[in-house]
Amino acid sequence: MKRLIVLLQVFLIGACLNKELTNDQELQKPIIQSPWVENPDEIGHDFYPRPQMKRANWENLNGFWDYAILPKGEKLPTLFDGQIRVPFAVESDLSGVLRKVGENQELWYRRSLSLNSLQDGKRFLLHFGGVDWESEVFVNGKSIGVHRGGYDPFSFDITPFIISDEDQELCIRVWDPSDQGPQPRGKQVNIPNSIWYTPVTGIWQTVWLEEVPEFYISSLKNTPDFDKKTIEVLAIISSESVADKVVVKALDEGMLVAETAVTPGEKAELKIQNPKQWSPKDPFLYDIEISLMQGDQELDKVYSYAALRKISQEVDENGIQRMMLNGEFLFQYGPLDQGWWPDGLYTAPNEEAMLFDILKTKEMGFNMIRKHVKVEPAQWYYHCDRLGMLVWQDMPNGDHGNVWEHRLGIVGKATDKQRSQESEQIYLNEWKAIIDANYNFPSIVVWVPFNEAWGQFNTKEVTEWTIDYDKTRLVNSASGGNFIMDGSKITGHMIDLHSYPEAVMPDPNIFGKDNILVLGEFGGLGLPIAGHTWQNEDNWGYQSFTDKEDLANRYKQLIDKLEELIQKGLSAAVYTQTTDVEIEVNGLMTYDRKVIKLDRDWLRSLHQKLYDLEIQINQ
């Protein structure tokens, strides 16, 4: 006991010293980088950032901005430290800064905007894809609004703050306490270690300016009804409008297949004749056009897309709950995808790099990705939509501290964490915003509010709210977390185990009558590749190997085991993980994406057996 206390004291002293060093500390340049950064001209995000609601008149504001790091609470600065490349976090190599900020300081950005003379009936909207965590926006020295949330997009109408015939000054203040605050932050910690990674502070997704008419479509909600063969479109209008109708069209490769007109605020139902369904094998997308009309005059028009697909829960011939896609059982198998980069941290170097991970995952024969405690830019989900990749979307975790009582399918005695009212509200606000922002992407089939009891609170209430708020998807209440009862069943649609490295499943005799049985994490087989690791020593995996042959043999054993478990009632599994991340080397690819550790054709053939199993479903 004395030895334990001494060790604890040493750890706490060391942690305090390290914590002091994290503030405004220069970070070491990574020893590896992804291939996309070798040509500086190709670095950046120049694609249209909102694929579900496109307009023509927009300007990308990414690029080099002025930056300053100042003590928390300082006023708008007049002097700046240098330049930072947006949209890369200040701690990343691609930002050009490589400095930590910490909870006692704030990061400031500044740039000028050259706008055309403001015309009557035109407005300028300033959009942010993602800023971690609290951001305040200033236009020409005036604060125009504050946003709190690192994973949801937001915007401000800057029209009232524009000074005619002058360049506009845009400043952003960002505060991010990382793991020193209660906010959702995923795997970020001030002192990276083990499965916890470098902090991500500031702008990490595209900043862009959009010119819109006086009355405009501010958002869309596209809801498929697979059984009725309809797509429901709700267009939200910016304000009380002079428009008298909204015209909505669905097109199949340019050919009109459905059209309807409704009054503003009314849901438009498109009845699709000879419908084409969306699935991993055939990810068909209907183009959607939405026009805001006043008589014959078109006030505004946006372009979107939608798909007919259905995710549901059904019972097989043995009375076991199964996860169904479009009315048929499809075993869902994919990697845990954390979306980190050695050079950009949260932000891929460019769109080609972002797409690379999805393409390689598909080439390896996976049909699903679990996006782990991070939310990606909208363009990432668009690529999943068009390529036919199912997505399980996690809520980024935060405010840890409760006990984890997960025991391989046995309901433990742990209770939910008692979070402060502020902490709970921060979570609930951002979870709703994340669902709203990503509702229209058909690839997302499962919401995951909690992971492994990390900040897990009010599980039953949060799960029931999520199920009620989005009835088009299934809800995995706590992947590998504390299982909370709802009467005689686990709350939510699933019970989800985590097991390293072995493939296991919840007991179908206990849980399978009410809940879908899934293996939310397993594997984690580690293989460091010399010259492709975050650090030269002390890298790790859940089970480590020294050569690819041994790794392949062990991986095949896990897949063979999955075949047995599927027959017994397993509906999905998630292998850890897509790539190495910092000191973790249990990826199918190295962190720099330059080495794929197992043969892609061999993996695809191996995985196909999981989808070919015949399972009878009672309908």
Side-chain angles (χ1 to χ4, degrees):
M1 178 60 72
K2 288 182 179 179
R3 181 174 181 271
L4 179 61
I5 293 173
V6 171
L7 288 174
L8 182 60
Q9 290 173 334
V10 170
F11 171 80
L12 291 174
I13 293 171
C16 291
L17 291 173
N18 285 336
K19 181 179 175 183
E20 290 176 1
L21 291 173
T22 62
N23 290 337
D24 200 18
Q25 177 187 346
E26 291 190 7
L27 296 166
Q28 182 178 351
K29 186 178 178 66
I31 63 175
I32 57 173
Q33 62 181 20
S34 57
W36 299 275
V37 307
E38 294 170 4
N39 184 351
D41 293 337
E42 295 181 0
I43 299 171
H45 289 208
D46 56 0
F47 50 85
Y48 189 85
R50 192 180 57 193
Q52 276 283 359
M53 203 175 93
K54 289 188 174 183
R55 281 193 186 91
N57 296 325
W58 74 289
E59 180 183 355
N60 192 320
L61 300 182
N62 293 338
F64 286 96
W65 296 41
D66 298 328
Y67 87 94
I69 297 175
L70 298 175
K72 189 175 186 293
E74 293 284 317
K75 294 182 179 179
L76 201 99
T78 55
L79 297 176
F80 286 77
D81 299 341
Q83 289 201 312
I84 183 171
R85 183 194 275 126
V86 171
F88 298 98
V90 67
E91 296 91 348
S92 73
D93 184 31
L94 289 183
S95 73
V97 179
L98 274 171
R99 287 170 64 184
K100 285 188 177 180
V101 180
E103 72 276 15
N104 296 320
Q105 299 187 102
E106 292 172 327
L107 172 63
W108 288 85
Y109 295 82
R110 181 183 68 180
R111 67 157 290 164
S112 63
L113 297 177
S114 297
L115 302 178
N116 298 326
S117 296
L118 188 61
Q119 302 174 17
D120 290 341
K122 295 293 184 181
R123 310 198 71 81
F124 287 101
L125 305 181
L126 180 63
H127 296 274
F128 296 84
V131 184
D132 197 359
W133 172 71
E134 178 185 273
S135 49
E136 184 175 9
V137 179
F138 297 81
V139 176
N140 296 322
K142 295 182 179 180
S143 174
I144 66 171
V146 176
H147 177 80
R148 304 178 92 194
Y151 301 93
D152 59 302
F154 60 99
S155 63
F156 294 106
D157 183 345
I158 67 171
T159 312
F161 305 91
I162 293 174
I163 301 175
S164 297
D165 301 320
E166 292 186 16
D167 285 349
Q168 319 300 316
E169 184 186 64
L170 172 61
C171 290
I172 320 293
R173 176 192 62 83
V174 178
W175 176 63
D176 179 19
S178 190
D179 57 338
Q180 300 303 303
Q183 82 290 348
R185 42 95 177 174
K187 291 289 195 78
Q188 304 175 56
V189 293
N190 282 316
I191 306 174
N193 65 92
S194 184
I195 63 170
W196 310 103
Y197 316 135
T198 304
V200 173
T201 301
I203 299 170
W204 66 277
Q205 292 188 36
T206 292
V207 185
W208 54 294
L209 192 69
E210 184 179 34
E211 185 179 335
V212 297
E214 182 71 23
F215 304 106
Y216 60 93
I217 300 166
S218 60
S219 65
L220 296 174
K221 188 173 184 180
N222 303 334
T223 304
D225 190 318
F226 183 84
D227 297 325
K228 291 173 59 179
K229 304 174 184 177
T230 62
I231 297 172
E232 180 186 275
V233 178
L234 175 62
I236 306 300
I237 312 305
S238 59
S239 60
E240 186 175 338
S241 173
V242 298
D244 52 27
K245 65 179 175 180
V246 177
V247 177
V248 185
K249 300 177 181 180
L251 300 98
D252 176 349
E253 298 181 353
M255 299 294 293
L256 184 67
V257 295
E259 180 178 3
T260 189
V262 296
T263 57
E266 183 184 357
K267 296 175 182 177
E269 185 175 87
L270 297 167
K271 181 70 174 178
I272 308 296
Q273 301 297 325
N274 303 314
K276 298 178 180 179
Q277 65 184 31
W278 183 97
S279 71
K281 286 186 178 180
D282 185 13
F284 182 82
L285 301 173
Y286 287 97
D287 292 319
I288 307 292
E289 296 180 1
I290 306 96
S291 299
L292 184 64
M293 307 292 294
Q294 182 186 14
D296 294 331
Q297 180 187 4
E298 186 177 81
L299 304 177
D300 189 21
K301 186 173 186 177
V302 296
Y303 299 88
S304 186
Y305 65 89
L308 284 172
R309 70 100 182 93
K310 177 184 179 181
I311 187 76
S312 60
Q313 176 179 349
E314 302 288 346
V315 179
D316 69 15
E317 63 179 1
N318 297 314
I320 302 297
Q321 298 289 340
R322 295 284 187 173
M323 185 158 41
M324 310 281 282
L325 181 69
N326 300 337
E328 297 180 358
F329 174 67
L330 173 65
F331 184 73
Q332 296 189 23
Y333 182 50
L336 191 79
D337 191 311
Q338 305 201 64
W340 284 75
W341 299 83
D343 25 51
L345 298 180
Y346 256 15
T347 310
N350 56 25
E351 185 177 15
E352 182 183 352
M354 179 193 300
L355 177 58
F356 179 86
D357 284 2
I358 305 170
L359 286 172
K360 295 309 169 188
T361 299
K362 193 169 184 68
E363 289 173 8
M364 293 176 193
F366 296 102
N367 63 9
M368 175 262 280
I369 292 171
R370 180 182 169 202
K371 181 49 64 175
H372 188 44
V373 296
K374 182 200 175 191
V375 181
E376 292 288 356
Q379 192 76 353
W380 186 90
Y381 299 95
Y382 162 69
H383 287 307
C384 289
D385 289 345
R386 71 177 185 84
L387 293 171
M389 185 61 70
L390 300 165
V391 176
W392 293 18
Q393 180 59 57
D394 286 13
M395 170 63 178
N397 54 286
D399 204 357
H400 294 193
N402 46 318
V403 178
W404 185 27
E405 286 286 350
H406 161 75
R407 292 291 184 274
L408 296 183
I410 304 302
V411 178
K413 298 180 180 179
T415 57
D416 284 336
K417 177 179 172 59
Q418 297 300 307
R419 294 169 69 158
S420 69
Q421 184 175 353
E422 179 192 24
S423 174
E424 290 186 3
Q425 198 58 53
I426 287 171
Y427 172 100
L428 295 172
N429 289 347
E430 192 154 2
W431 185 222
K432 179 182 180 298
I434 288 169
I435 294 175
D436 287 342
N438 298 286
Y439 179 88
N440 289 346
F441 295 114
S443 55
I444 299 176
V445 293
V446 174
W447 296 119
V448 186
F450 299 108
N451 177 76
E452 288 188 0
W454 296 348
Q456 186 177 345
F457 77 101
N458 291 353
T459 307
K460 185 173 181 294
E461 293 83 352
V462 170
T463 301
E464 289 179 350
W465 177 87
T466 306
I467 291 172
D468 183 65
Y469 193 65
D470 182 1
K471 295 179 173 61
T472 70
R473 295 177 171 94
L474 299 177
V475 177
N476 183 357
S477 65
S479 181
N482 292 332
F483 308 127
I484 305 299
M485 300 301 294
D486 180 9
S488 62
K489 66 183 286 289
I490 302 296
T491 190
H493 295 107
M494 307 177 190
I495 181 168
D496 176 338
L497 301 185
H498 290 182
S499 171
Y500 288 103
E502 300 298 336
V504 300
M505 68 180 291
D507 188 334
N509 297 315
I510 299 176
F511 302 107
K513 307 304 179 185
D514 297 303
N515 296 94
I516 299 167
L517 309 175
V518 304
L519 175 58
E521 293 181 27
F522 80 109
L525 306 181
L527 176 65
I529 304 293
H532 300 277
T533 55
W534 180 251
Q535 58 191 29
N536 292 324
E537 298 179 347
D538 300 325
N539 300 289
W540 70 278
Y542 287 95
Q543 182 179 359
S544 297
F545 297 86
T546 56
D547 63 69
K548 293 183 179 181
E549 183 178 355
D550 287 345
L551 175 68
N553 290 335
R554 185 69 176 100
Y555 185 83
K556 184 178 183 304
Q557 291 175 6
L558 296 177
I559 299 302
D560 290 343
K561 182 62 175 180
L562 282 184
E563 287 190 70
E564 299 176 19
L565 299 179
I566 294 169
Q567 299 284 11
K568 295 179 180 178
L570 190 68
S571 278
V574 178
Y575 177 81
T576 300
Q577 61 185 328
T578 306
T579 72
D580 299 344
V581 183
E582 298 203 352
I583 67 171
E584 289 186 60
V585 291
N586 44 39
L588 294 158
M589 297 185 284
T590 54
Y591 197 18
D592 57 13
R593 275 71 169 178
K594 293 181 179 179
V595 179
I596 298 175
K597 300 179 186 180
L598 296 174
D599 182 78
R600 280 171 287 180
D601 292 339
W602 177 79
L603 284 171
R604 186 167 57 251
S605 176
L606 195 64
H607 297 158
Q608 187 59 44
K609 296 187 297 181
L610 304 177
Y611 313 134
D612 291 341
L613 294 172
E614 294 290 335
I615 304 294
Q616 299 298 317
I617 307 293
N618 296 324
Q619 296 190 56

